[in-house]
Amino acid sequence: MKATQRKDDSVSRGVKLQPFRSSKLTPNASSLEHLDHLLLFALTASAVLLRTYKLTEPPKVVFDEVNFGSFVQEYFLGRFFIDVHPPLVKLIYYAIAVLFRWDGEFDFDKIGAVYDSSTPYVAMRLFSAICGALTVPVTYLTLRASFCRSSVAAFGAFLVLVENSMATQSRFILLDAPLILFTALAVCSFQHFQQHSFGSRGYFTQLTATGIFLGLAVSTKLTGLFTIAWVGLWTAYSLWVRIGDLTVPVSSIVLDLACRLIGLLGLPLTIYMQIFSLHFQLLPYNGSGSGAVSPAFQAGFLDSDHLRNYAADVSFGSVITLRHHRLDTYLHSHSYVYKLGSGQQQVTMYGFSGDKNSEWIIESAGTNFEGKFDQKFRPVRHGDYVKLYHKSTQKYLRANDVRPPNSEHDYSNEVSCLGNRTDTEHSDYEWLVQITDVAPHANETARKTLKATQSIFKLVHKGTSCTLMGQNVFLPDWAFHQNQVLCMNDPTNTNIMWYIEKNTHPMIDDNLTDFPRIDLPQLLFFQKFVEYHAAMWRINNGFVKKHEYESLPHSWFFPIRGIAFFSNGHGSKNLTDEPGSHIYMLGNMAVYGFGIIIVLIFGIRYSFYLLKHINPFGVAPERVSTTQFFIKSAQYVSGWFFQFYPFVYLERKLFAHHYLSSVYFLILATAQFAEYQMCSHKIGGWVTMVVIGASAAYVYWTLFPLVSGSGWTVQQCQAAKWLPTWDFDCMAYSE
């Protein structure tokens, strides 16, 4: 881009206008030549060989293959589930399994389970491996589109090839290799898109390609949204430059903006929603995810006759399940006790339907006994006092003046289960029913008489006047990380609303004439789509249980520790005839270390660069290579930041593999730095590439047995433990 002045009547009259940048694009001199084709072939062939080497090993379930293999089985059986990640790649794995005639019998129930002969685990792993292999040539093409010479583009692609953590992730039935490939394709298309003027054929082709790959990325993992945000940032920058170019008409800018909104937002959203539409169609039966969605959502399943047959009218003596109106989790209790506070039986909220520990019998105040209400229908009305009898443990729901485990406020009380039916007049067991609202499908009688799925109500404790409340706060290990339930004085309405889902009673179960069934609306796709994502978000936030290999984002800059994916327990740990094998995901310390140093160097240099260019009355002269370096490096460093920084604010457990998309941008920034060195000091550029490339190759080759599960000895393994925090299992190998 060049500084220019508008030549118009104002200039002819002697009026000097402020200089402005032209938005005219610099021609791309990086078209592919014969050398590029040779390098692409060599890199692609090497990537395929390394990513598919010993892909059959181990013939056992590895790390998160437990989860994603189980989801494939759920598709096979048509049972509804909810995962925190969108379904695209899981659907691809399912398609591969069906294509190879899988019988759906293998359960993927634990790490180390031996695959049976009918499970096409190698074909499923091959998809991930091909994604990992294709990322290498895509990186080459991306760097060539970023004005890097062939040698530098090959250097960047080589770093992707020998990056240990990417290589490890691409060998198993996981999501990260496809995610990185789709991200890489989106970045590549976007770099080509930036080289085309509005209205040209290349503009629309690359815009469409970018939108498609963004859609595939976000349909693999929601972290694809970070890539969409990155594209949005640099799209805004590009439009800002065009707005500042006085030679560009306003109509052209408006049309350009409209096309980019359609291509970069509308197209990815369309792909994303279509993937979910297919997901819903393939899961027509109730499954593990049913408890996380509303009764109206559940009613759409083919096997939900039990839900549709529940009577709407609730009677004293009814066996019910209580669901939290906002969190869609069930009021739950079990025989375990609080480790803090009163030490009485725990009351929690649990997200899975069909659990007997979520069943309560609604009783009146006073003396009660089993079967007392079975022969008479007595409706529960607004303003009635009730007791909730936990059917499995035969205790009553109560509140006391002890502080809950996760709250020290004087106005909050612990909720527990205590007593039995011999405690006839205890006010601590009595709760006032106050109907506050009704569901959209309800009639007005649901405001006065308690009706299943229709009446939305709160329960006020008689003894303390506090209100039963569920929180999106998780209890510790001793309560299985289930949601906390407490009783609070003067709470807000957000977390105190409940409704009844299950409702059975001997007098009403088979009497269709006098007691109508629940009439649930049929949800539209968009309603299911929104509700499903709310459940995804709740489940994602619920991943708080401690894990041996979890890590914090600040520890990802350098591979301080990895993740043990698999160990066959050979050696002194567990005598076996199998050869020693261990899979341990660990980042390439050369790629990580040099990459973060280059980010810091660029940050310092870019600060001075901005200071140099903030003069509004002139454009500082500079070489084209310098402009390209700062713009392209800023793009890749910001991509690294966008992929990393949001994890700082996530409260769920995190792992080192969440950093892999950031590592990809880190490699692109490293290559762009090498290109600038080649332009400034060619010898310095070659030294940079040789030092970083050789270091990365040495780390990769030394730790290759941890990537591929190849044979090693205890001595070789221990010699490779360069850091004391590297805790891969050397006892997995024989002497």
Side-chain angles (χ1 to χ4, degrees), residues 532-543:
Y532 189 98
H533 280 75
M536 286 173 64
W537 183 252
R538 291 197 306 270
I539 293 171
N540 184 70
N541 289 340
F543 285 161

Side-chain angles (χ1 to χ4, degrees), residues 383-402:
D384 284 347
Y385 277 97
V386 301
K387 295 198 295 187
L388 293 174
Y389 183 75
H390 191 243
K391 187 176 179 182
S392 295
T393 60
Q394 300 181 343
K395 291 180 172 63
Y396 283 105
L397 184 75
R398 72 186 297 266
N400 52 51
D401 58 1
V402 178

Side-chain angles (χ1 to χ4, degrees), residues 520-533:
L520 291 168
Q522 184 175 357
L523 296 186
L524 301 175
F525 165 75
F526 186 73
Q527 293 172 303
K528 291 183 177 181
F529 179 81
V530 172
E531 185 174 334
Y532 189 98
H533 280 75

Side-chain angles (χ1 to χ4, degrees), residues 406-418:
N406 288 337
S407 177
E408 296 296 329
H409 298 299
D410 291 338
Y411 50 81
S412 60
N413 303 306
E414 178 192 274
V415 175
S416 63
C417 278
L418 189 69

